[in-house]
Amino acid sequence: MDYKKILDEIYLEAKVYKGQGELARYIPELALVDPLKYGIHLSTVAGEDYSLGDSKERFSIQSISKVLSLAQVLPLLGETLWERIDVEPSGNPFNSIVQLEYENGIPRNPFLNAGALVMADILISRFDDPMESFLSFVRELSGNSTIEYDKKVAASEIATGYLNASLINMMKSYGNILNDVDKVLEFYCHQCSIAMSCEDLAHAFMAFADEGCLYKSDSRVLKKSQVKRINALMQTCGFYDEAGEFSYRVGLPGKSGVGGGIVAVHPKCYSIAVWSPKLNPKGNSVLGMKTLELLTTKTGTSIF
Ligand code: GLN
C-alpha cells in the first residue's frame, strides 16, 4: 500500500473543509488554539511512519485520554470494572447527565464523561500519586518520556467544569464515586489536558492496533482479549451520539477529543491520528472525520 501517495492526496483534498466547524470554546483555553492547524500521522504495525502537516505539534488530547485510562484500569480491575460502568452506546452527548439518573449513577460506557470520571475515581483509589502513574503509563505507551500535562488547559477546565462536577456529585449520591469530588474533577481535567502530537498518539494507539504490543517493541502492555474489548468499545461508543456516523463513514474503531484530535486503528495493520481543532456540533473534528473517511475509502481498509 502506498500510504505516502494516498495521504498526500487526502491532505490536499480534505483541506477545503478547514473552515468548517467551531472550536471547543466551553473550555476557555481551547478557544485560543489556531483553528487552521492540520496534522496527520499514520504508523504501520510493520514499523513505518508517515507524517503530514502539523503532525509533530502537541495539542490537548481531551477525551482521547479516556481510552488510555481504560487501558490502565481494565487490567487492574478486570471484569469487575463493569459493575460500575456499562458497555452500551448511549446515543447521547458526551457530557449528558439525563440517562445517569434513570440508570442509578451507572454510566452507559467508559467514554462518556461520566464513565471516565468513574475510571478517574478508580485510579485515585489505586495509586498514591495517580497523576504521576497515569502520565508514566501514557509516556510508556507512546515511547515519549517528555509528554506532560498542560496545566493551563487543566486549570481552565477545572474553573468552568460545573457540569462535570454535577456528574461526579450525582454518581457520588448513588455510591459510584468513592473519593472527594474536587479530587476526581482535578484528576480528570488533568488527564484530558495531556498534550500530545499526532505522532505520539499514533504510536501510543499501536497497542490497540498490534494486539497489546508497544510500537517497535516486543513488550506487551495489554492482553489480546483486553485489546479486543477496548477496540469494541471504541467502535460502538468512541464518538458518543455520532458513533453510528463514524462507523458508517470510516469503519474503524476510533476515539475523538474536543481538542480536535481523532485516533483510529485498523487491527494488525495501522494506527492513525489526525488533528484539526474545528468541531462539528457533536464535538468531533470535521476535518479529522473527513480525512479518515477518505483514508478508508481510498485504501479499502475499513474493518467491514
Ligand atoms: N474534558 C472534556 C470534557 O469533559 C472532554 C470532552 C471531549 O473531549 N469530548 O468536556
Side-chain angles (χ1 to χ4, degrees):
M1 186 82 69
D2 193 346
Y3 285 117
K4 183 176 170 357
K5 182 169 164 280
I6 292 169
L7 288 171
D8 282 344
E9 237 173 75
I10 293 173
Y11 196 75
L12 288 177
E13 227 171 284
K15 260 185 178 173
V16 295
Y17 296 91
K18 259 194 177 180
Q20 292 183 15
E22 289 295 329
L23 291 171
R25 295 186 191 282
Y26 76 97
I27 299 175
E29 200 64 26
L30 294 185
L32 307 176
V33 174
D34 178 351
L36 297 180
K37 293 287 178 185
Y38 181 28
I40 308 176
H41 190 100
L42 184 147
S43 300
T44 66
V45 171
E48 296 146 358
D49 283 290
Y50 303 91
S51 250
L52 278 102
D54 302 308
S55 60
K56 300 212 188 309
E57 198 170 315
R58 295 180 186 191
F59 59 94
S60 180
I61 66 170
Q62 293 297 319
S63 284
I64 295 171
S65 67
K66 296 167 179 171
V67 186
L68 306 175
S69 64
L70 177 59
Q72 195 177 23
V73 165
L74 190 56
L76 290 175
L77 263 68
E79 291 294 302
T80 59
L81 173 60
W82 311 122
E83 291 163 13
R84 293 180 63 181
I85 308 173
D86 207 343
V87 293
E88 291 299 334
S90 72
N92 282 317
F94 61 83
N95 52 5
S96 172
I97 197 167
V98 179
Q99 210 163 28
L100 199 54
E101 186 180 9
Y102 288 127
E103 299 184 354
N104 304 316
I106 304 289
R108 268 286 169 120
N109 66 66
F111 299 149
L112 293 167
N113 286 11
L117 290 163
V118 172
M119 294 195 290
D121 186 58
I122 291 167
L123 291 175
I124 292 169
S125 298
R126 279 288 170 135
F127 295 108
D128 292 338
D129 189 342
M131 288 229 248
E132 193 49 46
S133 305
F134 184 67
L135 189 59
S136 306
F137 181 65
V138 174
R139 287 173 171 173
E140 185 193 0
L141 283 186
S142 61
N144 183 348
S145 60
T146 69
I147 287 169
E148 287 289 354
Y149 294 111
D150 183 329
K151 299 270 176 200
K152 272 190 177 171
V153 172
S156 173
E157 188 172 13
I158 291 167
T160 53
Y162 306 112
L163 189 47
N164 283 325
S166 307
L167 292 166
I168 304 170
N169 275 293
M170 184 186 284
M171 291 190 287
K172 198 166 173 70
S173 79
Y174 283 103
N176 201 14
I177 291 287
L178 309 180
N179 293 284
D180 179 65
V181 171
D182 292 339
K183 245 185 159 174
V184 177
L185 185 65
E186 191 196 13
F187 176 79
Y188 169 79
C189 292
H190 275 84
Q191 82 166 63
C192 290
S193 80
I194 287 187
M196 289 169 80
S197 66
C198 291
E199 182 181 39
D200 296 328
L201 282 168
H203 290 172
F205 272 62
M206 189 53 76
F208 311 111
D210 196 13
E211 301 183 326
C213 292
L214 294 180
Y215 188 50
K216 289 190 179 171
S217 143
D218 291 332
S219 343
R220 182 180 283 282
V221 280
L222 293 163
K223 292 186 191 149
K224 272 191 194 181
S225 61
Q226 291 163 339
V227 171
K228 168 183 128 180
R229 292 183 163 86
I230 294 171
N231 285 346
L233 284 161
M234 280 200 262
Q235 188 71 43
T236 52
C237 311
F239 292 75
Y240 323 107
D241 44 346
E242 204 167 41
E245 179 87 10
F246 190 78
S247 267
Y248 179 80
R249 281 172 46 188
V250 179
L252 294 175
K255 185 75 204 79
S256 61
V258 292
I262 298 184
V263 191
V265 296
H266 192 299
K268 297 192 200 150
C269 194
Y270 61 76
S271 62
I272 179 163
V274 188
W275 174 46
S276 167
K278 286 188 152 195
L279 311 175
N280 68 20
K282 310 271 185 183
N284 301 318
S285 169
V286 174
L287 194 49
M289 285 188 59
K290 194 68 207 169
T291 300
L292 293 172
E293 180 180 2
L294 286 169
L295 176 75
T296 53
T297 305
K298 283 177 188 282
T299 56
T301 57
S302 122
I303 62 165
F304 297 108

